[in-house]
Amino acid sequence: MTNKSELFFQEGEAFLPGNPLQLRLAFLALLMNRNVLIEDVPGMGKTTLVKYFAKATGLEFRRIQFTSDLMPSDILGVSVFQKESETFVFRPGPIFGELILGDELNRGTPKTQSALLQAMEEKSVTVDGVNHALPQRFCLFATQNPRGQYGTYPLPESQLDRFLFKFSMGHLSRDEEVELLATGQRLEKLDKMKAVLTREDLESWEKEIREVKTTRVLLGYVSDILQASRKDTEYGLSPRAGLDLLDAARGWAFLEKRDHVLPDDVQAVFPFVAAHRMYSYQSLTVEAEQARARDFVGSVPFVKVK
């Protein structure tokens, strides 16, 4: 980590007061080219967070506003027949960007939501039988309204499992809210902001995260968590969730300026990696999901091998 990363977080906290944890999680997902789901009621700063990341990094930004009449082709693109050449030419949709804001994802129909599955996992899309690669640096930051709000469709477990993190923005403290009211809208200031990070910064830090070390004992602890989850809940954690948990723990250790993962790193990221995979069927709030996940991981002992 460098002075540039410190500046990134300082600027972020100026635009998003009271959300240092959310900035950290989103930053890790961005570095690792992973997907994030942000759930909260409208007006809590979800879109502001994503727009800040786009401005601060200079990545190619695309926004997709999900509605009940949005079609998969509106996201992926279409093949258009060119009369002159008598051939079909592919016109890419807004999914062909580097940082994608999927706004109010759960207002899209299940058919439209499923159009993102291949992009989220394979970083490519298939249209008319032809596979099209997405940019090398690609991540989806999706927002959704709380379950049960009018006009929403719950995300399937297969899609939830493709999000590295899920979190909410949460409410501001009284002092933070007074400061926000005094300074006014933040989006206007974002429009004038210049990038503070480069692609080289992101690539360098991504490489550092991959080099964070783990031990066999630590891997055994992660496996114990996965095994216990399959006994504790109807939907236990998948192997993919285990890999995501390990990657997130590496990222957390990186932010803590360590070159190795500790059990504390696993426990710190676990609620944000696992809660939406374990308890989605119970219609809990994000906070309640994460509280249960925090209690669960605290019940799994870390056994040191002598």
Side-chain angles (χ1 to χ4, degrees), residues 169-180:
M169 301 302 292
H171 288 285
L172 303 178
S173 68
R174 184 179 186 277
D175 290 343
E176 291 165 345
E177 198 158 41
V178 168
E179 183 62 25
L180 173 63

Side-chain angles (χ1 to χ4, degrees), residues 9-29:
F9 286 114
Q10 289 172 5
E11 292 278 353
E13 290 177 21
F15 285 108
L16 295 152
N19 291 283
L21 175 59
Q22 290 84 345
L23 283 168
R24 271 190 151 211
L25 294 172
F27 182 66
L28 287 180

Side-chain angles (χ1 to χ4, degrees), residues 29-250:
L30 182 74
L31 292 184
M32 294 187 285
N33 282 328
R34 307 299 276 279
N35 310 302
V36 174
L37 181 61
I38 310 171
E39 179 180 312
D40 222 321
V41 296
M44 298 300 291
K46 303 186 295 295
T47 302
T48 302
L49 182 145
V50 183
K51 285 190 172 182
Y52 169 71
F53 272 72
K55 283 286 186 179
T57 60
L59 295 177
E60 186 179 6
F61 176 67
R62 295 285 185 272
R63 176 174 181 167
I64 305 170
Q65 179 62 55
F66 282 78
T67 58
S68 59
D69 59 351
L70 189 73
M71 299 296 291
S73 59
D74 297 328
I75 300 171
L76 305 180
V78 293
S79 295
V80 179
F81 183 73
Q82 296 284 358
K83 186 176 180 180
E84 295 79 8
S85 60
E86 296 186 347
T87 59
F88 283 92
V89 177
F90 178 65
R91 291 186 177 175
I95 196 67
F96 285 83
E98 294 176 307
L99 178 56
I100 310 299
L101 167 58
D103 212 3
E104 297 185 300
L105 177 59
N106 60 341
R107 291 201 182 278
T109 62
K111 180 179 180 179
T112 303
Q113 292 174 8
S114 66
L116 295 173
L117 291 176
Q118 183 183 358
M120 294 174 69
E121 181 67 16
E122 301 174 25
K123 312 304 182 187
S124 65
V125 299
T126 302
V127 179
D128 295 332
V130 179
N131 191 68
H132 302 274
L134 294 173
Q136 185 176 5
R137 181 160 293 281
F138 171 89
C139 58
L140 169 69
F141 281 22
T143 73
Q144 73 169 8
N145 296 310
R147 182 180 298 189
Q149 286 203 347
Y150 181 76
T152 60
Y153 301 84
L155 301 184
E157 285 77 12
S158 60
Q159 190 155 29
L160 290 172
D161 198 41
R162 286 168 164 80
F163 286 104
L164 176 63
F165 296 129
K166 176 184 175 183
F167 56 81
S168 67
M169 301 302 292
H171 288 285
L172 303 178
S173 68
R174 184 179 186 277
D175 290 343
E176 291 165 345
E177 198 158 41
V178 168
E179 183 62 25
L180 173 63
L181 295 172
T183 56
Q185 282 285 349
R186 294 166 286 182
L187 289 177
E188 295 177 2
K189 299 175 183 178
L190 269 179
D191 291 336
K192 302 176 183 178
M193 180 181 172
K194 295 182 179 180
V196 297
L197 301 179
T198 65
R199 295 173 189 274
E200 290 73 24
D201 294 327
L202 301 180
E203 292 169 2
S204 173
W205 293 331
E206 180 184 11
K207 182 180 179 182
E208 287 186 43
I209 289 175
R210 289 199 300 266
E211 293 174 350
V212 173
K213 302 178 183 65
T214 59
T215 64
R216 295 287 293 186
V217 174
L218 191 284
L219 296 179
Y221 175 56
V222 172
S223 179
D224 289 343
I225 292 172
L226 300 180
Q227 296 289 328
S229 75
R230 295 159 193 160
K231 302 174 184 177
D232 182 73
T233 64
E234 181 177 346
Y235 297 101
L237 295 174
S238 67
R240 174 165 53 194
L243 293 170
D244 281 356
L245 178 59
L246 196 59
D247 285 346
R250 283 194 179 98

